[in-house]
Amino acid sequence: MVQAWYMDDALGDPRQPHRPDPDRPVGLEQLRRLGVLYWKLDADKYENDPELEKIRRERNYSWMDIITICKDTLPNYEEKIKMFYEEHLHLDDEIRYILDGSGYFDVRDKEDKWIRIFMEKGDMITLPAGIYHRFTVDEKNYAKAMRLFVGEPVWTAYNRPADHFEARGQYVKFLAQTA
């Protein structure tokens, strides 16, 4: 099951867990109220997984590729890691399925506080369009992930502030309705 918690305010290495003391866990229902969806799948059979195929069909995730985030395989690794960790939003949902390794997605809650979501092998997440978020690998410096899209991929990230985009306005409206 996915682990999520409110982050501490420490400015140290983003690849560390940043769990506060005392711990402030966040459950799946709270993530759902932010529009974040989660599935636990069998990553060892991702190529022929009927459950993954069902999710892709139901949610129209028609495009996919696989990215390996590690120093040995990702060109400009350090630059990319910094870019992934900049707070940003997308105009489309961001769908990631961890096939191996691990990392963290950080998302903003309704009060603009960071929630850290630990992602490891078998975890699949959808972040809604318009949500401010960021990603980093953990201290193992390795994650292999499937990236899924509805239609052709759009890779554009809009760093904060990006409140003028329609996707952000729709997301803020969604948050107000789930209050």
Side-chain angles (χ1 to χ4, degrees):
M1 189 53 65
V2 71
Q3 295 180 53
W5 57 89
Y6 278 96
M7 290 181 70
D8 64 21
D9 295 325
L11 298 175
D13 186 345
R15 297 169 305 149
Q16 293 179 347
H18 288 277
R19 281 187 185 265
D21 186 17
D23 195 22
R24 296 182 54 210
V26 173
L28 279 177
E29 183 54 36
Q30 188 173 352
L31 292 175
R32 260 188 234 106
R33 286 194 305 268
L34 296 174
V36 176
L37 304 178
Y38 171 83
W39 297 266
K40 184 68 172 182
L41 301 172
D42 183 351
D44 289 329
K45 64 178 193 178
Y46 75 89
E47 293 180 81
N48 297 299
D49 183 356
E51 193 173 351
L52 174 61
E53 287 307 313
K54 180 178 181 247
I55 294 165
R56 288 187 67 183
R57 200 171 39 257
E58 288 173 355
R59 300 191 60 83
N60 295 314
Y61 298 158
S62 57
W63 191 95
M64 77 83 154
D65 77 349
I66 294 173
I67 184 172
T68 302
I69 304 168
C70 76
K71 289 179 184 175
D72 297 337
T73 61
L74 187 64
N76 305 314
Y77 174 80
E78 294 297 334
E79 184 181 306
K80 293 272 179 149
I81 288 295
K82 285 180 186 155
M83 184 181 74
F84 294 157
Y85 200 66
E86 283 288 317
E87 183 176 5
H88 63 276
L89 61 75
H90 300 284
L91 305 183
D92 298 299
D93 291 354
E94 180 164 333
I95 307 107
R96 298 293 181 268
Y97 176 19
I98 305 297
L99 302 177
D100 198 17
S102 48
Y104 301 109
F105 273 100
D106 300 335
V107 297
R108 292 284 189 179
D109 76 355
K110 292 178 184 183
E111 283 77 45
D112 215 31
K113 305 273 187 233
W114 282 118
I115 295 173
R116 175 151 277 194
I117 305 166
F118 176 64
M119 299 282 295
E120 61 185 343
K121 185 177 180 177
D123 292 337
M124 184 167 141
I125 195 170
T126 296
L127 304 179
I131 191 173
Y132 283 120
H133 67 281
R134 60 191 183 190
F135 174 80
T136 187
V137 289
D138 61 13
E139 292 170 301
K140 295 175 191 146
N141 289 311
Y142 173 75
K144 180 179 178 182
M146 180 184 290
R147 302 183 290 189
L148 297 137
F149 284 90
V150 174
E152 287 298 309
V154 179
W155 303 106
T156 309
Y158 298 96
N159 289 350
R160 191 172 190 174
D163 295 336
H164 61 285
F165 286 104
E166 183 180 344
R168 179 66 184 168
Q170 288 175 347
Y171 179 69
V172 170
K173 206 180 288 183
F174 164 80
L175 286 180
Q177 292 170 353
T178 63

